[in-house]
Amino acid sequence: MQHAVRSRAAIRSGLTPVPRPRTPSVASLIDADALRVLHRAARALLDDLPGLTDRLVAVLQEQEPAYRAAMTKDPTATWQEAHRSLRHSVNSLVDPRGARDAARRCSWRIGATRAEQGLPLDALLHAFRLGGSLVWQRLVEETSRTAPEDVRLLVHVAADVWNFVDEHCTLVADAYRQTEWQLSRRRENRARLLAAGLLDGTSRIADLPEAAQALDLPEHGRYVVVAVAVGPGVRSGAARSAAVPDGTRVHWHAGADVDYGIVLLGDGDGDGDGDGDGDGDAGPPQPVPDGSPPGVRIGVGSPVAGLAAVGDARRLADTALGICPAAGGAVRLDDHLPAALVVSSPELGRALAGQVLGPLLRLEPADRNVLLDTLTTWLDCDGSAQRAGERLYCHRNTVLNRLRRCEQLTGRSLARPADLVEISLALTARRLLRE
């Protein structure tokens, strides 16, 4: 910070032309007289500092709405803050060198404190400028009262007084913005910790209201979790946009390998379904299975009630993600529950595949692949040999012959519902659980 009062020679060292140049000796005498007048008036302001503070507080209450609200809440704190600031400012007029650091620390503390309290920065800067105007006005008033002939000398120190005010406005703004940035980082880190706790199921019930506020989501809404995994060179922003429709309230949590979106279903008006009847019939987002960008895998879990159940929703989303093809795609868990059963218990899934498909798997690779492809295609075609043959480029009778051979090898009948379920799950397990 520059001294509140500098010599006039220093002020005129720039390029600003002086209409009537004076000799250095005359300028020195004028500077000395101006400083004498300034110091005399400043000491008088220090003697009446409480009155000066009262005037500033009254001006703030009249002209600055943000301070009006602050004074309604805690008038004593506002008065004390104004008193400290004025004391340091006026002391800096009397003893620039000795009071410099204390004045800077005071302004910095005010900027940081007001940032923590949420007072708008514009209001804070306005208050400092009002304080500077009031001090200058009182200096002029005091000099006019005690020595009217010396008022003209104050012109020589006016620039220094206002430079002091501008410098402290800059200090206050720097402190405010730095504190605001730190608070923002703390809020972001706290929100990340709270979201992580919700997703891994370790949140305490007592933390749920704070989590709801930090994530801007209702505590008792209806939620679904979306898991997004991207391949090399794919932007996570594009993947997230593909996973959740525009306009949906969602909080994203970036993980090491997977990003999770905590998605609010409905309007979040208590029941979460958006229609106000409380029946919870709203469904999760509807990603198109082949609509995700290449290299993006999207798993959409089943709906759950409340933030307390987000950990369960995340596990369901992970299960859906595990069903996604490695090359990319989107899977909504509710549409793939049989596959979800298989991936939820991989040991049992592998055991089922080995028991049901074992004889087929022990065939020569070419023969094995033909039979497994035929069986899979026939199931995909809802048991139609005609449609399966069209897909496999063979006659329907060829399809039927291959299916009969599958029945002979596995000892199961495709006409028996229980056997058909076993075969379908075994094929799903083999496809999803290959190592």
Side-chain angles (χ1 to χ4, degrees), residues 2-170:
Q2 306 217 354
H3 293 172
V5 179
R6 298 173 300 173
S7 70
R8 294 302 296 166
I11 294 175
R12 292 197 297 271
S13 62
L15 299 178
T16 303
V18 180
R20 298 181 62 183
R22 300 188 298 269
T23 62
S25 60
V26 174
S28 298
L29 290 174
I30 292 177
D31 289 342
D33 289 341
L35 289 176
R36 174 180 53 79
V37 172
L38 176 65
H39 292 168
R40 182 180 62 203
R43 291 190 186 97
L45 265 60
L46 286 175
D47 293 337
D48 187 33
L49 198 56
L52 185 63
T53 304
D54 289 340
R55 287 184 61 173
L56 177 57
V57 169
V59 170
L60 289 175
Q61 193 163 16
E62 178 186 350
Q63 298 189 24
E64 185 48 64
Y67 268 88
R68 195 153 54 237
M71 281 183 271
T72 300
K73 183 177 180 181
D74 191 350
T76 302
T78 302
W79 192 94
Q80 291 174 345
E81 175 189 281
H83 186 268
R84 284 194 303 271
S85 181
L86 288 172
R87 175 164 53 84
H88 286 292
S89 298
V90 178
N91 272 329
S92 294
L93 299 178
V94 178
D95 182 14
R97 184 170 301 176
R100 176 179 185 269
D101 291 340
R104 290 172 63 89
R105 286 194 298 270
C106 177
S107 295
W108 187 274
R109 280 195 301 270
I110 291 174
T113 300
R114 287 306 189 179
E116 292 173 351
Q117 295 171 349
L119 186 82
L121 178 58
D122 288 347
L124 181 58
L125 294 176
H126 186 207
F128 262 73
R129 293 190 178 101
L130 286 174
S133 297
L134 180 60
V135 168
W136 176 252
Q137 180 183 345
R138 288 290 293 115
L139 290 171
V140 174
E141 290 175 356
E142 180 62 25
T143 303
S144 299
R145 185 181 65 84
T146 58
E149 68 280 4
D150 290 339
V151 170
R152 59 184 179 80
L153 293 173
L154 289 177
V155 174
H156 298 286
V157 294
D160 300 299
V161 172
W162 286 106
N163 285 342
F164 174 86
V165 173
D166 288 343
E167 180 183 1
H168 280 256
C169 283
T170 301

Side-chain angles (χ1 to χ4, degrees), residues 51 58 75-76 82 88 100 103 120-121 180 211 251 306 331 362 374 380:
T76 302
H88 286 292
R100 176 179 185 269
L121 178 58
E180 192 175 44
H251 177 85
V331 169
R362 287 189 288 271
T374 300
D380 290 341

Side-chain angles (χ1 to χ4, degrees), residues 273-294:
D273 61 10
D275 56 16
D277 57 11
D279 58 4
D281 57 1
Q286 302 290 326
V288 181
D290 295 325
S292 61

Side-chain angles (χ1 to χ4, degrees), residues 284 300-303 316 320 331-338:
V300 183
S302 299
L316 295 173
V331 169
R332 184 169 175 250
L333 186 66
D334 287 352
D335 297 334
H336 297 80
L337 292 179

